[in-house]
Amino acid sequence: MGREMASAFARWCALADLEVKPELVAVADLNPTTLAWFDQIPSCRQQVSDYAELLANPAVDVVYVAVPHILHEKIYLDVLDAGKDLFAEKPFGIDLGAARRIAAAAESSGQFVRCSSEMPFFPGGQRALAAARSNKLGRILEVVSGFHHSSDLDAEKPANWKRHSKTCGEIGVLGDLGMHACHLPLRLGWKPTKLYAQLSKGYPDRPDGKGGRSVCDTWDNALLNTWTTIAGDEVPLRLEMKRLAPGATNSWFIEILGTDGGVRFTTAEPKTLWSFSRDREQWWSRTELGFSTPFKTVTGGIFEPGFPDVIQQMWAAFLVEREGNLGDRFGCATPAEAVASHEIFDAALTSHLNQSVQCI
Ligand SMILES: NC(=O)c1ccc[n+]([C@@H]2O[C@H](COP(=O)([O-])OP(=O)(O)OC[C@H]3O[C@@H](n4cnc5c(N)ncnc54)[C@H](O)[C@@H]3O)[C@@H](O)[C@H]2O)c1
């Protein structure tokens, strides 16, 4: 993900009328091959294996941290201690306790802190948000928000740190994909009040990449049947996070259904927005979306957006908000939203264990 972010800065000229311009000046990674990749970025003058050296660099204002989840809390706190602003990867710590400690440190440090979640920056995500805020959907009947991929279907794919609870966290797939699924519902104020969780695991072991086998113990799929309150009504909100979703490569989706209108978007069809309306008859109409991202770009409005575009949009939001100039544009996930997502994940673990409805 570090290289993905670096490439977003490298084509910053794609953004129009933006008052901030990031410069990648330093990188830390334990892997020399990964570090060497940054040779091709002339501004990246510091390449170190010990991130403490990067934190001591006065030219560094903001640190983006993309490391195994077990390291999140320690490195995030070190970044804040060094007086740097933090763009944290999800999950915001390995568990709820860590999330709360990081949020408290962020608050007391006064540093600008946000958590990565880029998918709502797709034009379709923004249109779903606008539809939900329009008050034109009538009484909301049901909401589904989720993230599916299928990278665990191949039983012979070697295990990495994401397949072990020790390094990925007890929350497993919830930590990997949960912030993505929770971001828009939380931004809309639709925090679940209670939930029933169904969690399932994938293959119990995989090749370890060294000729042996490695035990895999993380939750791969999570279905959270939750209840939230919308305009005084209790509404079912389903959060779906799957590493084992046949056919899905990396699909984020949201569906909001009301009595008078509805909206459905998936990144599997990034140009397509489905909108429900009714009169005497009912329609699902398809809008072909263009490049209407929150931050203006040089890309023509008819073209289609993709993952690198929303990563860049997310960075624009982070940097513009850090300058205090976000206005009414969509901002990155806040520490409060990240902690709220962890409250949901924590309740899900208890619910699954006890097979009970869990209040949040
Ligand atoms: N926002 C997204 O869409 C998205 C997508 C994938 C991953 N992620 C998140 O990004 C983070 C990293 O995931 P990834 O897929 O890039 O993992 P990865 O395993 O590909 O990369 C992790 C990197 O961290 C380095 N590292 C490990 N320990 C280190 C240390 N002590 N100091 C410096 N570097 C160290 C490793 O050498 C490696 O290059 C995770 O939090 C993950 O959830 C986010």
Side-chain angles (χ1 to χ4, degrees), residues 17-260:
D17 306 333
L18 212 62
E19 56 276 21
V20 291
K21 183 177 186 308
E23 190 182 42
L24 181 64
V25 295
V27 61
D29 200 292
L30 298 181
N31 183 338
T33 313
T34 305
L35 272 187
W37 181 90
F38 289 85
D39 285 344
Q40 63 196 307
I41 299 177
S43 63
C44 187
R45 293 178 290 275
Q46 188 188 30
Q47 297 176 12
V48 290
S49 56
D50 181 356
Y51 71 86
E53 290 178 45
L54 180 152
L55 295 183
N57 182 345
V60 172
D61 301 312
V62 173
V63 183
Y64 164 71
V65 186
V67 291
H69 301 168
I70 192 173
L71 298 172
H72 282 192
E73 181 179 6
K74 163 86 176 112
I75 300 185
Y76 294 178
L77 296 181
D78 287 347
V79 169
L80 295 171
D81 262 358
K84 314 288 188 189
D85 290 341
L86 169 67
F87 202 177
E89 255 307 341
K90 46 78 193 166
F92 206 60
I94 201 159
D95 57 18
L96 176 59
R100 286 182 172 150
R101 288 188 291 276
I102 297 162
E107 175 79 26
S108 61
S109 71
Q111 301 298 139
F112 184 70
V113 178
R114 290 291 180 269
C115 181
S116 171
S117 163
E118 66 281 357
M119 294 299 179
F121 289 89
F122 266 97
Q126 293 295 305
R127 292 284 285 268
L129 181 71
R133 286 176 169 162
S134 69
N135 291 327
K136 291 184 182 154
L137 304 187
R139 182 165 71 85
I140 304 294
L141 300 168
E142 187 179 347
V143 180
V144 184
S145 180
F147 202 119
H148 290 175
H149 69 70
S150 54
S151 65
D152 279 18
L153 287 179
D154 176 4
E156 291 311 304
K157 183 183 161 190
N160 63 16
W161 61 265
K162 292 178 187 171
R163 306 293 166 265
H164 306 129
S165 292
K166 187 165 176 285
T167 42
C168 182
E170 285 294 322
I171 53 178
V173 68
L174 294 158
D176 270 4
L177 304 179
M179 185 72 247
H180 294 298
C182 292
H183 191 170
L184 278 191
L186 290 173
R187 184 60 54 91
L188 286 161
W190 300 347
K191 186 178 174 191
T193 51
K194 58 186 176 180
L195 61 77
Y196 183 79
Q198 293 167 289
L199 309 180
S200 43
K201 295 193 175 177
Y203 299 107
D205 60 73
R206 289 177 173 279
D208 65 3
K210 301 171 205 151
R213 305 291 297 178
S214 175
V215 173
C216 298
D217 63 346
T218 53
W219 299 115
D220 261 8
N221 284 8
L223 288 175
L224 311 189
N225 296 289
T226 88
W227 291 259
T228 188
T229 306
I230 303 176
D233 294 315
E234 193 168 68
V235 177
L237 159 63
R238 193 164 73 253
L239 299 168
E240 297 189 9
M241 290 133 277
K242 297 185 186 175
R243 291 168 173 166
L244 289 163
T249 48
N250 199 58
S251 298
W252 175 85
F253 55 90
I254 185 154
E255 177 176 276
I256 304 168
L257 297 178
T259 49
D260 299 335

